[in-house]
Amino acid sequence: MPKLIIDGKEHDMPDGITLIQACELAGIEIPRFCYHERLSIAGNCRMCLVEVAGMPKPVASCAMGVNDLLPARDGTPPTIVTDSETVKKAREGVLEFLLINHPLDCPICDQGGECDLQDQTMAYGFDAGRFQDNKRAVEEKYLGPLIDTFMTRCIHCTRCIRFMTEVAGVEELGAIGRGEDMEITTYLEHGMFSNLSGNVVDLCPVGALTSKPYAFVARPWELTKTPSIDVMDALGSAIRVDARGKEVLRILPRINDAVNEEWISDKTRHVWDGLRTQRLDRPYVRRNGKLVPASWDEAFAAVATRLAGLDGARFAAIAGALAAAEEMFALKLLAEQLGSANIDCRQDGAKLDPALGRATYLFNSTIEGIDQADAFLLVGTNPRHEAPVLNARILKRTRHAQGKLPVGLIGAEADLTYAYDYLGAGTETLAKIADGSHPFIEQLGGSERPMLILGQAALARPDGAGVLALAAKAAMQIGALNASLGWNGFNVLHTAAARVAGLDLGFVPGQGGRDVETILDGASAGEIEIVYLLGADEIGMDRLGDAFVIYQGSHGDEGAHRADVILPGGAYTEKSGTYLNTEGRAQLTARAVFPPGEAREDWKIVRALSGVLGKPLPFDSLQALRAEMYARHPQFALIDQIEPADSAAIEHLAKTPAKVGKERFGHAIKDFYLSNPIARASSIMANLSAMHAGLDRKATGTDG
């Protein structure tokens, strides 16, 4: 461990870090513009200058490693000074040069109040510049519907270029020209098509790149900032919801190294405008074929009338992709009170069963475990669309391995932003992996931590149970279960934020109960008379026949159009709810704003309905509900922790017969930007969907 003397104090530092990191470990903040912890080192802003004893001039601390420094002649450790007059003057000089061409438009800049350049100017700037020449002017660039450009403000830190290349995995940004004439551009003057592009706005240390949908909406000090969790996919990214009054105005990422690091997808970031449109803000009851506004009492009375004397076998409940654990738990208890076993949280028909063991439906090696994996086998998944931030983590792992890490894909071909071997399209290839006859097995060589990632496209099909068993056999074959290293590389990548919690709660058919497919068949045949849709919009509504449909949700989507009674609930930004992400990590959303109009938190609706039906649930508060839920399912109490699942379930699953068809694996998500009711209500998502629909990404006629 190298020793350093920083500002007169001696410190032990880890090998391989840079001086700027060493200073931060010593509790000293170093100003910077181009340096970022998760990007490669550029060393082109020079704001992080420090003095190193024995060197003739200040050095850029971001580009100098602690192992590059030699002890003094008397054997004392290398000495670094960060607060000397020389350092201060050097930083002032750098900042003065940066401000030569920077326009003085802070009052009208959207970055005002959150600008690194503003902050550093307060520390190292002057009240007036010495340069009288005209400032440089740069033509604005078109980067798509999400990013507004004011390139005259650009200080050439190149953070945006490095992010798009290294993290997003697409070389859509670059620099042309040299020196003062250098410009950041997309080369071909088209928008950026990466679904992670919005992160460059957070990275930009000045106001050159700003959020186009948020432009001139609010100043940061006007907003109420609420830490929460994203539910647009099953990753559970840490986010911050910024609201003013009754409206959410933007969504930003929070740092969580174990899940999303500090990135979020464009859908997560910009879906906020869908939270205010097409909202269900009061109950509705269908009368004479038309939905008409009603009071809560009238809506509950209509439900109670239809449920009176009904055989429980003729009632069914389906939970959607955005439901929190609290309302699913309450609805499950209500279904039990009604004597119904017809409940299901797998609205896409995925053949996952909690009876097989928790390890059979979790991302067992954890998201952070991707950083340790030395091989990947992707089966029936396109992580770039199903979990963009997770896909970026796989890209980071492959980049660090410098192309020596084997990646195989079974399923539909796609641009994943990293190189992979296309092994085949469906179950026949997976079967060859499972019996050890596929050549890809040899590529794995001495891999100690291989990872199999199984997507919903492989599970949401009639033979999904067989595919699950076959995937378990393949995981055993490639050595994905390594007990000596404590490694479980069998992973299921979910697309629905509510899915793992639903499976953990047992929101699946009970003894003799029906799943989603047979519920729809029963409704079509008249065997199911009442269907309760808890935010479930991704099912075949035309198959509900003459069933009486109760829809509880936040948006007027497919379920609300088919409903006979609408019970308006809250969106994820309007309630405190528990979600388990794809790895089984319990996380909490927080209420940033109140539900609109007469809408209520979902668990309260189910509790109130149970009272009207004369079957009151055993709780009257959120705390009491959670206490009951924690008592039955303790893993929900482990907030931001993971309860490891027993890998023996996978070994047992691998021994079961696997009956599969020969159909190819398709796509779990047809349109990344329109995958749920909130996204479909968003005009920003509609614009992005249209932009991507018009892009022909096929390079040859043989591309899938």
Side-chain angles (χ1 to χ4, degrees):
M1 270 185 124
K3 292 183 181 294
L4 296 179
I5 297 175
I6 303 177
D7 290 344
K9 295 182 180 179
E10 187 172 311
H11 301 272
D12 290 324
M13 293 297 168
D15 283 313
I17 66 171
T18 59
L19 285 186
I20 193 171
Q21 292 172 314
C23 291
E24 287 184 352
L25 289 175
I28 300 168
E29 184 178 353
I30 303 295
R32 82 289 301 271
F33 292 118
C34 70
Y35 174 77
H36 191 277
E37 292 84 352
R38 304 187 196 277
L39 303 177
S40 61
I41 294 170
N44 52 10
C45 80
R46 320 308 283 183
M47 193 64 197
C48 63
L49 295 173
V50 296
E51 237 185 318
V52 178
M55 292 194 176
K57 58 183 180 179
V59 301
S61 59
C62 70
M64 178 69 73
V66 296
N67 297 96
D68 297 331
L69 301 178
L70 298 176
R73 291 183 178 180
D74 60 359
T76 58
T79 300
I80 291 92
V81 181
T82 68
D83 56 357
S84 67
E85 191 63 28
T86 300
V87 169
K88 187 173 184 296
K89 282 191 172 295
R91 292 174 183 171
E92 288 174 351
V94 168
L95 190 64
E96 189 175 12
F97 275 115
L98 289 176
L99 292 175
I100 288 176
N101 283 310
H102 196 79
L104 301 177
D105 56 0
C106 294
I108 61 164
C109 177
D110 258 2
Q111 204 84 327
E114 299 175 310
C115 176
D116 292 349
L117 187 60
Q118 267 187 350
D119 295 341
Q120 298 305 335
T121 301
M122 290 295 293
Y124 299 101
F126 297 90
D127 58 349
R130 293 181 290 170
F131 295 87
Q132 303 301 319
D133 295 336
N134 292 330
K135 291 180 180 289
R136 176 193 64 205
V138 181
E139 185 178 343
E140 313 303 0
K141 306 296 188 294
Y142 174 71
L143 299 184
L146 300 182
I147 302 169
D148 220 352
T149 60
F150 299 88
M151 302 312 289
T152 301
R153 303 171 185 164
C154 180
I155 61 170
H156 301 165
C157 72
T158 68
R159 279 186 181 183
C160 54
I161 297 175
R162 285 176 282 147
F163 171 83
M164 294 304 296
T165 302
E166 299 164 12
V167 179
V170 288
E171 297 181 0
E172 291 185 323
L173 275 182
I176 58 174
R178 299 182 66 185
E180 187 182 39
D181 296 325
M182 175 178 163
E183 295 183 22
I184 308 296
T185 178
T186 58
Y187 301 121
L188 300 178
E189 298 293 329
H190 64 67
M192 294 195 292
F193 291 95
S194 167
N195 48 21
L196 292 169
S197 62
N199 290 286
V200 300
V201 173
D202 296 335
L203 288 171
C204 186
V206 295
L209 304 177
T210 60
S211 174
K212 190 176 287 186
Y214 175 71
F216 309 114
V217 171
R219 288 296 195 183
W221 53 84
E222 300 175 321
L223 304 175
T224 302
K225 303 167 180 65
T226 307
S228 190
I229 297 298
D230 172 55
V231 300
M232 291 298 108
D233 55 33
L235 197 69
S237 299
I239 60 173
R240 193 187 82 195
V241 180
D242 288 0
R244 183 177 60 190
K246 297 180 180 180
E247 290 188 337
V248 173
L249 297 183
R250 67 175 179 179
I251 295 173
L252 298 176
R254 289 186 295 120
I255 295 177
N256 186 344
D257 288 330
V259 180
N260 61 305
E261 297 183 305
E262 60 185 272
W263 320 122
I264 54 174
S265 72
D266 290 345
K267 182 164 66 172
T268 298
R269 182 184 298 271
H270 291 290
V271 79
W272 50 265
D273 71 319
L275 293 166
R276 67 179 71 152
T277 55
Q278 298 183 24
R279 290 303 303 269
L280 299 173
D281 58 359
R282 61 187 305 177
Y284 287 84
V285 175
R286 190 176 296 277
R287 293 178 180 142
N288 300 321
K290 292 185 178 180
L291 286 168
V292 295
S295 67
W296 277 105
D297 289 340
E298 290 171 332
F300 285 155
V303 175
T305 300
R306 292 302 299 263
L307 279 171
L310 183 75
D311 181 4
R314 303 181 77 83
F315 173 87
I318 302 173
L322 305 182
E326 285 80 0
E327 52 256 34
M328 285 192 289
F329 179 69
L331 184 55
K332 179 176 183 284
L333 294 184
L334 180 59
E336 291 174 357
Q337 298 266 34
L338 295 172
S340 175
N342 305 323
I343 59 174
D344 204 349
C345 65
R346 305 160 300 182
Q347 62 175 346
D348 59 358
K351 300 300 186 290
L352 294 166
D353 188 351
L356 296 174
R358 199 163 181 254
T360 63
Y361 59 83
L362 290 183
F363 203 96
N364 292 289
S365 47
T366 73
I367 297 165
E368 225 174 357
I370 291 173
D371 299 338
Q372 302 175 16
D374 51 15
F376 294 94
L377 176 60
L378 310 179
V379 181
T381 182
N382 178 354
R384 189 177 179 187
H385 285 170
E386 296 164 25
V389 177
L390 181 141
N391 190 68
R393 199 147 192 161
I394 297 176
L395 170 64
K396 181 179 76 170
R397 181 69 186 99
T398 59
R399 284 177 60 87
H400 286 177
Q402 299 179 340
K404 299 176 182 178
L405 188 147
V407 181
L409 172 66
I410 302 175
E413 288 188 82
D415 179 6
L416 299 180
T417 70
Y418 42 83
Y420 61 84
D421 294 319
Y422 184 66
L423 308 181
T427 56
E428 293 180 351
T429 306
L430 183 59
K432 290 181 180 178
I433 296 283
D435 64 22
S437 62
H438 198 281
F440 183 69
I441 299 291
E442 298 178 6
Q443 292 185 40
L444 297 178
S447 297
E448 294 183 337
R449 290 183 172 90
M451 181 180 286
L452 183 146
I453 301 178
L454 182 63
Q456 300 304 298
L459 298 170
R461 40 189 272 165
D463 62 350
V467 174
L468 181 65
L470 199 59
K473 293 178 182 178
M476 298 292 292
Q477 183 64 239
I478 66 175
L481 272 68
N482 191 329
S484 62
L485 295 176
W487 178 256
N488 184 345
F490 180 85
N491 301 300
V492 174
L493 178 59
H494 292 276
T495 56
R499 185 64 50 80
V500 173
L503 293 170
D504 272 8
L505 290 170
F507 203 97
V508 293
Q511 186 70 31
R514 298 172 181 258
D515 61 10
V516 165
E517 192 67 21
T518 51
I519 287 172
L520 296 177
D521 288 342
S524 298
E527 298 167 0
I528 298 290
E529 292 187 21
I530 297 181
V531 179
Y532 199 121
L533 301 180
L534 183 61
D537 294 272
E538 323 299 329
I539 61 173
M541 299 296 171
D542 55 338
R543 297 176 58 191
L544 289 172
D546 296 327
F548 183 82
V549 177
I550 306 163
Y551 180 78
Q552 179 179 330
S554 60
H555 284 71
D557 207 71
E558 296 292 330
H561 293 162
R562 173 57 186 83
D564 294 288
V565 172
I566 294 176
L567 307 176
Y572 69 105
T573 55
E574 299 159 2
K575 61 187 177 185
S576 176
T578 305
Y579 290 84
L580 267 61
N581 72 349
T582 192
E583 59 185 347
R585 182 188 301 271
Q587 298 172 299
L588 295 177
T589 61
R591 185 173 63 197
V593 295
F594 286 92
E598 298 178 35
R600 297 292 180 266
E601 292 187 47
D602 291 277
W603 75 266
K604 291 183 178 180
I605 297 173
V606 180
R607 171 61 183 87
L609 177 59
S610 72
V612 173
L613 297 176
K615 302 179 184 295
L617 298 177
F619 44 78
D620 291 313
S621 66
L622 182 60
Q623 291 76 15
L625 184 156
R626 284 179 173 165
E628 184 76 18
M629 185 170 69
Y630 295 164
R632 300 191 188 198
H633 309 282
Q635 67 269 30
F636 284 86
L638 302 174
I639 303 302
D640 204 32
Q641 299 179 51
I642 296 176
E643 179 74 17
D646 187 0
S647 60
I650 300 167
E651 298 174 7
H652 183 266
L653 179 62
K655 297 175 184 177
T656 60
K659 296 180 180 179
V660 295
K662 295 185 178 181
E663 296 81 9
R664 296 184 171 197
F665 299 140
H667 296 280
I669 296 179
K670 294 180 181 178
D671 191 327
F672 170 74
Y673 296 104
L674 303 176
S675 61
N676 61 61
I678 301 176
R680 287 191 287 270
S682 165
S683 60
I684 301 173
M685 295 300 106
N687 291 337
L688 289 171
S689 176
M691 183 180 78
H692 281 258
L695 176 68
D696 184 6
R697 287 186 171 275
K698 295 185 177 180
T700 69
T702 59
D703 284 350

